[in-house]
Amino acid sequence: MLSVSDAEAIILNLVQPLDDQRDTEVVDLLTADSRILATPVTSSLDFPHWDNSAMDGYAVRYQDVQHSSTEQPTVLEIVEEIPAGYQPKSTIQPGQAARIFTGAVMPAGADTVVMQEKTHRQENRVFILDAPKPQEFVRHKASFYQAGTQLLPAGIKLNAPEIAVLAAAQCPQLSVYRRPRVAIFSTGDELVSVDQPLQSGQIVDSNQYAIAALVRQSGAEPLILGIVKDDPVALEKVITHAVAIADIVISSGGVSVGDYDYVDKILDSLRAKIHIRAVQIKPGKPLTVATFPSTDAINEPARCGGSPRCSDWRRVSPLYFGLPGNPGAVLVTFWRFVLPAIKKLSGITEGWEPVFLKVRSHDELRSDGKNETYLWGKLHLIDGVYEFHKAGGSHSSGNLINLAQTNALAVLPIGKTLISPQEEVQVL
């Protein structure tokens, strides 16, 4: 049985990031939030575009005011007022100054700005009461960015700061990677959909809803294939279809060793290579990870609305995740293994690995020590220090209820059976 770290390494090694021209699309800047930039961006603009003032004050020649003081102020003639957006008309001569405002273009001849708090104005004259530093409060052209050089690299997620930079650089459209396509289905005769009456012995299929939400939150596109009964023929048909339309396929249930767990057998029959069959993790030990032979893309008019783009996306070896059926195990294994795979596939060049923090535990945490154990709870910021509070109730993989409103998983490594209150614990 594989360790968690070995399983993670295998999975991330199997993922082939989107990097082909056919994996990209052009989007408007207003809809580019959270997308992955596919090509580097350069701009023809310098930043700042011109020398400008960083302060409300007076544009002056440094040599005129370098000896100014309250006792011996320098008196200059005000020859122009320059608000933001105005092109200066004057050239500042010895003994002259221009009233200037934040962001306004520096006039020719001036090289320094004296902030208005260190001046006194009388009609068209200004008294400089303190000597500034040379070139103080001047933002020089191209000091932030030089035109023609790389502005943003490919492979980054576009958040608000990047969107602002692209807007300032006048990039109304840009090339981003398409969203990874993730097919999702649940297996089991006992499963019913949320709108069906619940009979004795049946279970509502919450897994496909949870997985779909997680996939959307990761920036990928979920393709919901519904519930599949424990029938080998039906399962093989759905898996074949899922592999043909998706980059990643996620099933829940049917990967254990019960008489009705057919997934691994069907994967073998479809010539899939099974890389992982079980992992030393609790919950989530019966985890299957497989890849399929690369296939040509197929057009799916019903799913794609007839769009020709649907048949034009690059085919790589699809990655299959067979998750356990218990809802707690589904969420834990998704966060631990599937989410990093989706992030890497999406084209992000770095930062797809799970993020762990060392924090203080508020509660006693216990494990049998046989598997790497994940307990769910919530991080609280207490006096500037993060503290993990374990969720109340049972931490059975079948108990979905107490997972609600949690935001962290405490990790007890193999061999660690107890973490005492106030002791340090690693959390995902």
Side-chain angles (χ1 to χ4, degrees):
M1 191 183 308
L2 288 170
S3 69
V4 171
S5 59
D6 285 345
E8 177 191 51
I10 290 171
I11 291 167
L12 290 178
N13 188 55
L14 290 171
V15 176
Q16 301 178 49
L18 301 177
D19 62 0
D20 190 273
Q21 187 175 359
R22 287 172 294 174
D23 291 325
T24 66
E25 57 189 12
V26 176
V27 298
D28 292 334
L29 186 59
L30 282 174
T31 62
D33 179 45
S34 297
R35 301 301 295 271
I36 309 302
L37 190 62
T39 56
V41 174
T42 60
S43 176
S44 60
L45 299 174
D46 290 315
F47 287 86
H49 309 319
W50 44 73
D51 290 358
N52 70 90
S53 175
M55 190 70 64
D56 290 350
Y58 293 87
V60 301
R61 292 161 23 104
Y62 174 73
Q63 65 187 82
D64 287 346
V65 298
Q66 58 184 312
H67 301 301
S68 302
S69 66
T70 305
E71 293 77 20
Q72 290 186 317
T74 301
V75 183
L76 303 174
E77 177 190 6
I78 302 171
V79 296
E80 189 172 17
E81 184 168 296
I82 310 172
Y86 173 82
Q87 183 60 40
K89 303 295 191 298
S90 303
T91 297
I92 303 302
Q93 304 293 338
Q96 293 181 340
R99 178 73 166 115
I100 196 167
F101 296 88
T102 303
V105 178
M106 287 290 291
D111 57 17
T112 300
V113 172
V114 180
M115 61 190 299
Q116 65 184 21
E117 289 84 352
K118 295 182 178 181
T119 67
H120 173 67
R121 181 171 181 172
Q122 289 184 356
E123 298 179 347
N124 69 332
R125 296 186 303 164
V126 60
F127 293 75
I128 308 301
L129 306 177
D130 192 18
K133 298 175 182 177
Q135 303 184 54
E136 190 169 25
F137 299 125
V138 176
R139 296 185 289 219
H140 292 283
K141 179 181 178 180
S143 60
F144 301 163
Y145 167 80
Q146 186 173 3
T149 60
Q150 182 172 282
L151 182 64
L152 292 176
I156 63 169
K157 186 176 181 180
L158 297 174
N159 294 314
E162 292 77 25
I163 296 293
V165 167
L166 291 165
Q170 295 187 315
C171 297
Q173 293 185 318
L174 56 150
S175 176
V176 298
Y177 288 116
R178 64 174 175 82
R179 299 184 189 277
R181 300 181 177 101
V182 181
I184 302 165
F185 64 92
S186 303
T187 69
D189 289 341
E190 74 279 14
L191 299 178
V192 297
S193 62
V194 295
D195 56 353
Q196 286 182 264
L198 193 63
Q199 305 297 325
S200 177
Q202 293 182 326
I203 301 171
V204 177
D205 175 26
S206 62
N207 287 344
Q208 68 171 309
Y209 292 91
I211 296 170
L214 290 166
V215 167
R216 289 191 192 95
Q217 289 167 13
S218 74
E221 176 189 355
L223 309 174
I224 310 299
L225 303 183
I227 298 170
V228 185
K229 297 299 182 182
D230 289 322
D231 171 44
V233 175
L235 274 170
E236 181 173 342
K237 182 178 179 181
V238 169
I239 292 174
T240 302
H241 175 61
V243 168
I245 65 172
D247 303 292
I248 290 177
V249 179
I250 303 175
S251 67
S252 63
V255 293
S256 192
V257 292
D259 292 341
Y260 298 97
D261 294 330
Y262 299 116
V263 169
D264 280 13
K265 297 175 184 177
I266 292 170
L267 294 177
D268 285 331
S269 72
L270 294 174
R271 296 187 298 117
K273 182 176 181 180
I274 299 180
H275 303 269
I276 299 173
R277 295 181 185 270
V279 181
Q280 280 186 283
I281 187 172
K282 183 180 180 181
K285 182 171 71 172
L287 173 71
T288 295
V289 177
T291 52
F292 292 82
S294 295
T295 59
D296 292 329
I298 62 172
N299 195 7
E300 289 288 331
R303 183 178 68 80
C304 303
S307 169
R309 183 175 69 85
C310 210
S311 62
D312 194 38
W313 56 284
R314 179 174 68 101
R315 285 307 304 154
V316 296
S317 179
L319 187 59
Y320 185 96
F321 286 94
L323 306 186
N326 282 321
V330 165
L331 290 169
V332 169
T333 51
F334 187 98
W335 285 319
R336 187 63 185 85
F337 300 115
V338 184
L339 181 58
I342 293 175
K343 286 182 176 181
K344 183 177 181 182
L345 175 67
S346 71
I348 297 175
T349 53
E350 60 183 4
W352 54 75
E353 301 88 349
V355 176
F356 292 92
L357 301 174
K358 287 186 177 180
V359 305
R360 186 173 62 202
S361 179
H362 176 269
D363 305 296
E364 181 178 276
L365 308 177
R366 287 189 174 274
S367 162
D368 61 12
K370 297 177 182 178
N371 298 288
E372 187 167 301
T373 300
Y374 289 69
L375 302 173
W376 41 94
K378 196 164 187 175
L379 285 181
H380 293 276
L381 196 59
I382 311 294
D383 296 330
V385 177
Y386 275 116
E387 190 172 83
F388 177 79
H389 290 236
K390 178 186 171 185
S394 167
H395 279 245
S396 162
S397 62
N399 182 14
L400 178 63
I401 303 303
N402 66 345
L403 265 158
Q405 300 183 71
T406 60
N407 64 7
L409 297 170
V411 184
L412 278 71
I414 294 173
K416 184 75 171 179
T417 59
L418 172 67
I419 292 178
S420 302
Q422 302 307 304
E423 187 178 344
E424 193 175 69
V425 62
Q426 190 177 54
V427 301
L428 171 65

